[in-house]
């Protein structure tokens, strides 16, 4: 994440579910580009530290909420990638079907209401949206993604950032053509997310969407 400019300084945090049900999480404050295995912390699902010398991420509550809400997810990644975060600052969800690669992976990226970082309010702001998306823009803050494993959650983060960058560039060119609904249906049928239902309008989600 640091190498790709998705975070700078002490930004960002990562969590992964361990086989025993406990959670591996990155430490607070430390630059993610200069972190070693010894810096990682193990907490239980309630957030109590079990192993590790450092203090867990200040966004631990957000990670615990995400992993509790999505038992199918093995990992959660939070970063401040510049293009996607700009959309979050502008209050603009990435809610149009534009790129086939995005439709078949993260699909749409909704925008969560602003919540003060590190507080339980962040978890509350994302919990409803996690039922229908693997990637969420956090208003005036950054991006959260989940995935079946760490690699998948990280790829979702990269996909969201590239998606935001391409939409930004297309808007600068003056035009964003969306994919026709029948093509979105075709792509969704090909991808078949294992846990998140797709309604007949081609948007991802349950009865709430
Ligand atoms: Zn953050």
């Amino acid at each position: 994440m640091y190498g790709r400019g998705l975070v700078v300084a002490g930004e960002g945090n990562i969590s992964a579910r361990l086989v025993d049900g406990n959670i591996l999480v990155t430490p607070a404050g430390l630059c993610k580009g200069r972190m070693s295995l010894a810096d990682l912390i193990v907490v239980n699902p309630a957030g109590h530290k079990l192993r590790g010398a450092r203090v867990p991420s200040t966004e631990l509550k957000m990670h615990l909420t995400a992993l509790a809400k999505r038992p199918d997810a093995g990992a959660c990644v939070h970063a401040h990638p510049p293009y996607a975060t700009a959309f979050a600052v502008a209050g603009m969800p990435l809610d149009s079907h534009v790129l086939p690669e995005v439709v078949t992976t993260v699909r749409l990226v909704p925008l969560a209401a602003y919540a003060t970082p590190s507080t339980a309010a962040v978890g509350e702001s994302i919990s409803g949206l996690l039922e229908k998306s693997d990637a969420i823009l956090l208003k005036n803050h950054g991006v959260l993604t989940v995935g079946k494993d760490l690699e998948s959650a990280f790829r979702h983060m990269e996909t969201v950032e590239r998606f935001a960058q391409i939409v930004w560039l297309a808007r600068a060119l003056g035009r964003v053509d969306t994919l026709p609904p029948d093509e979105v249906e075709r792509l969704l049928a090909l991808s078949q997310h294992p846990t998140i239902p797709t309604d007949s309008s081609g948007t991802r989600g349950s009865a709430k969407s």
Side-chain angles (χ1 to χ4, degrees):
M1 296 208 310
Y2 184 74
R4 291 168 189 268
L6 303 174
V7 291
V8 298
E11 292 176 347
N13 25 76
I14 303 166
S15 63
R17 214 189 291 276
L18 299 171
V19 286
D20 63 4
N22 291 320
I23 294 159
L24 194 66
V25 64
T26 51
L30 202 68
C31 173
K32 304 306 169 293
R34 300 184 183 91
M35 203 173 55
S36 74
L37 279 177
D39 295 316
L40 297 176
I41 295 136
V42 177
V43 298
N44 70 14
H48 299 299
K49 186 164 94 168
L50 302 176
R51 291 200 298 278
R54 291 188 178 272
V55 175
S57 166
T58 53
E59 293 290 10
L60 178 61
K61 292 190 194 82
M62 175 175 74
H63 287 261
L64 296 177
T65 299
L67 293 173
K69 275 275 165 189
R70 291 290 300 274
D72 61 307
C76 176
V77 170
H78 167 58
H80 301 168
Y83 286 90
T85 302
F87 277 81
V89 168
M92 298 165 71
L94 292 161
D95 58 357
S96 298
H97 290 301
V98 175
L99 299 167
E101 179 67 24
V102 176
V103 175
T104 57
T105 54
V106 297
R107 302 186 191 178
L108 300 178
V109 188
L111 175 68
Y114 179 75
T116 306
S118 84
T119 66
V122 180
E124 289 162 21
S125 76
I126 60 169
S127 67
L129 298 173
L130 277 167
E131 292 172 10
K132 49 187 177 181
S133 185
D134 287 346
I136 297 168
L137 298 183
L138 308 174
K139 182 81 173 78
N140 287 66
H141 182 173
V143 181
L144 173 95
T145 59
V146 295
K148 63 180 168 57
D149 53 28
L150 195 52
E151 175 72 18
S152 167
F154 174 68
R155 284 185 182 208
H156 288 165
M157 182 62 70
E158 285 194 304
T159 298
V160 169
E161 176 61 352
R162 183 53 62 94
F163 182 24
Q165 189 174 13
I166 288 169
V167 171
W168 164 270
L169 290 168
R171 284 187 174 172
L173 292 171
R175 177 168 163 165
V176 178
D177 288 346
T178 55
L179 295 166
D182 61 333
E183 177 59 9
V184 173
E185 285 293 324
R186 201 172 297 123
L187 291 165
L188 290 173
L190 286 171
S191 64
Q192 288 296 335
H193 193 285
T195 54
I196 297 180
T198 301
D199 69 27
S200 58
S201 68
T203 54
R204 182 177 199 172
S206 59
K208 283 175 121 183
S209 63

